[in-house]
Amino acid sequence: MVAEIPFSRAVLYEEVWADPLSAVSKRYGLSDNGLRKICIKLGVPFPPVGYWAKLRSGQKVTRTPLPQHDGPTIVQAQPDLYTRRVAESEIQATHRGVIESDEARPERHIAPVADGEWRHRLIKGIAKRLNSIDQQIEVESRPRKSEAGRPKFDRVAFKVTKPGGLLDMGPAYAAIVVTPATRPRALSIADAFFVALEARGFKITLRDDCTVISCKDVVMQFRMSEMAEKSDKGVGYDGWHALGRLRITLRQHGYDRFGPPDMRARDEADGSLEEQLNELAGRLRRAVFGYEKRELARKADSEWAPREEALRQQKAWHEQMASEAAHREKVAIEAVFAEADLSEALDRRRHYLDRLEGVARERGIDVSGQSSVGLWLAWARAACDSRDPRFARVDSFTSSAVRSGSV
């Protein structure tokens, strides 16, 4: 178990204003949100959105002074939940350090441009379609009078509109789902990110109804969306409103137990999405590392898979045989019980016939074999014997013994 880390209010304040919160959190093995909670508990302010971008561009920025605080000045935190579950090898740590250093170089900085001169073909395609759809939605969203005199709207407007006014162009275009107001920024970020990744050896394609980023065995689904939340007012889509904050989600495309985990980046109070693009690119590059080792593991896994499947089928066969045997045993036992119940019921009927014969004798009625009563009693007793399973069961044993030659 990792020991608790003491966080001093004054020291933490200097750290979060010297480096982005995401960098400081990794220094301590915490998540961004975990360190943010510690800052709130200590009353430590952190830089607002856009602070680091302005600082890099040379603009004048001001640091929020450390306010008075009546709460604790030191907080103990245990980063067990945030540390890596598997310790890095020396090679992995070295490789990670090389990539992080490379991504930190000024010439490698992924800087979106907002001039509308898109460089990537997928961004050019979706930008062109969005420009045409704007006019289409505007026209088709205007209420018109139907034959019944009520306003009606064309289906197309609702086909592409998501809660909060987000537009989704579908699988034929890059997975960028944002409002028109946020579109220029979203397209500029995606354009710069795609171009930068392709320069780093990745491919950006549309595959299986989604946008895919791939390199060797790393295949991730890309989606950029604007965050929206539901308010207490309004019904349906009207109850949602967009927040203007963007996020990128990268999920493994298809199941691969050797594949990388999901990756996410989003606008935060202490750092914009633009400031996290290089970090996200670095995580993708680190995911590619160890490709040869994973291929060997997949090969071994594929060689073991047929044997594992044969064992599974063998186990399933034995379980099925055992289940069928248990079922046959159950059916046989139930048949014995049913035979016993029927035989007992027939004995009660025979007893009834004996009592009936006794009453007839007491009354002086002829019950001999030639009398009408005697003939009926003989018929009734024969009917009981014909239905009594005892005789059929004994006959079956006798027939089996004769066939086996034991009799």
Side-chain angles (χ1 to χ4, degrees):
M1 180 177 290
V2 179
E4 288 188 341
I5 301 174
F7 287 91
S8 168
R9 185 169 185 260
V11 173
L12 186 59
Y13 170 75
E14 294 296 332
E15 287 188 295
V16 298
W17 284 93
D19 295 298
L21 197 66
S22 57
V24 179
S25 63
K26 286 180 176 57
R27 191 178 303 157
Y28 290 103
L30 293 166
S31 68
D32 295 354
N33 193 46
L35 185 61
R36 188 177 293 106
K37 290 180 180 179
I38 295 174
C39 289
I40 293 173
K41 185 177 292 187
L42 290 172
V44 174
F46 35 81
V49 176
Y51 175 86
W52 299 106
K54 292 178 181 178
L55 185 64
R56 278 198 300 267
S57 63
Q59 298 183 39
K60 185 178 180 180
V61 293
T62 57
R63 175 187 292 195
T64 303
L66 185 64
Q68 294 292 328
H69 180 63
D70 297 331
T73 57
I74 295 179
V75 168
Q76 300 284 340
Q78 190 169 14
D80 271 349
L81 299 178
Y82 308 107
T83 54
R84 292 182 175 83
R85 295 186 179 184
V86 180
E88 287 185 323
S89 66
E90 184 177 349
I91 296 177
Q92 288 174 323
T94 302
H95 185 77
R96 177 172 57 85
V98 170
I99 290 178
E100 290 178 352
S101 299
D102 182 60
E103 292 294 337
R105 289 189 298 151
E107 61 270 22
R108 294 290 258 175
H109 179 62
I110 303 175
V113 292
D115 56 5
E117 294 295 329
W118 313 122
R119 296 168 290 172
H120 197 274
R121 56 181 181 81
L122 291 183
I123 304 304
K124 290 179 180 178
I126 191 173
K128 182 178 179 181
R129 177 57 178 154
L130 284 168
N131 289 335
S132 63
I133 207 72
D134 281 345
Q135 299 177 353
Q136 182 182 358
I137 290 178
E138 182 181 357
V139 172
E140 293 173 349
S141 296
R142 294 173 185 168
R144 293 175 288 150
K145 293 293 183 179
S146 65
E147 295 179 359
R150 295 188 297 271
K152 69 176 184 179
F153 296 84
D154 193 277
R155 290 183 180 179
V156 177
F158 294 96
K159 181 179 179 182
V160 297
T161 306
K162 299 293 183 182
L166 277 63
L167 301 183
D168 187 353
M169 295 296 99
Y173 300 91
I176 300 174
V177 184
V178 296
T179 59
T182 317
R183 183 189 308 159
R185 177 177 171 234
L187 292 180
S188 66
I189 292 174
D191 183 66
F193 190 55
F194 287 176
V195 171
L197 287 181
E198 289 188 341
R200 289 160 172 76
F202 288 84
K203 294 181 180 179
I204 319 294
T205 56
L206 298 178
R207 186 198 309 177
D208 301 332
D209 295 340
C210 57
T211 305
V212 172
I213 298 175
S214 60
C215 181
K216 295 184 178 179
D217 65 334
V218 174
V219 185
M220 307 292 285
Q221 294 182 15
F222 167 89
R223 180 181 175 85
M224 175 185 284
S225 60
E226 182 176 353
M227 288 177 273
E229 66 179 9
K230 192 173 184 352
S231 61
D232 297 334
K233 300 179 180 180
V235 180
Y237 283 5
D238 294 335
W240 291 79
H241 66 276
L243 301 177
R245 295 162 54 195
L246 299 176
R247 61 186 168 195
I248 290 177
T249 304
L250 299 175
R251 289 191 173 91
Q252 188 181 139
H253 184 63
Y255 172 73
D256 180 6
R257 65 192 188 94
F258 300 102
D262 294 350
M263 304 177 190
R264 296 178 178 85
R266 64 180 185 177
D267 285 325
E268 299 286 2
D270 63 310
S272 64
L273 181 59
E274 289 91 333
E275 297 170 350
Q276 303 172 57
L277 295 180
N278 281 90
E279 179 187 347
L280 198 57
R283 292 175 65 186
L284 282 169
R285 292 174 62 187
R286 293 198 301 272
V288 178
F289 177 73
Y291 163 72
E292 294 78 7
K293 185 177 180 179
R294 290 193 298 273
E295 283 298 289
L296 291 175
R298 290 189 185 95
K299 183 179 179 181
D301 195 55
S302 64
E303 291 175 351
W304 171 250
R307 287 178 286 173
E308 193 175 44
E309 177 62 19
L311 290 174
R312 188 195 66 79
Q313 291 181 359
Q314 186 179 13
K315 181 181 178 182
W317 182 83
H318 283 294
E319 289 177 350
Q320 182 180 356
M321 292 299 102
S323 177
E324 291 178 357
H327 178 70
R328 288 194 298 269
E329 180 73 8
K330 180 181 178 182
V331 170
I333 292 173
E334 290 177 349
V336 171
F337 292 167
E339 287 181 8
D341 292 342
L342 178 56
S343 182
E344 185 179 355
L346 291 171
D347 283 341
R348 290 197 302 271
R349 293 180 177 90
R350 290 189 186 95
H351 182 61
Y352 164 74
L353 295 176
D354 292 341
R355 288 188 299 157
L356 190 147
E357 182 179 3
V359 171
R361 288 181 185 278
E362 291 175 357
R363 294 184 181 183
I365 300 174
D366 184 13
V367 293
S368 63
Q370 302 301 319
S371 66
S372 59
V373 175
L375 291 172
W376 184 88
L377 288 171
W379 169 83
R381 288 187 174 107
C384 290
D385 292 344
S386 66
R387 288 168 173 77
D388 197 327
R390 289 180 295 180
F391 303 107
R393 181 62 61 191
V394 172
D395 289 343
S396 68
F397 294 147
T398 305
S399 300
S400 299
V402 170
R403 285 196 299 272
S404 64
S406 61
V407 178

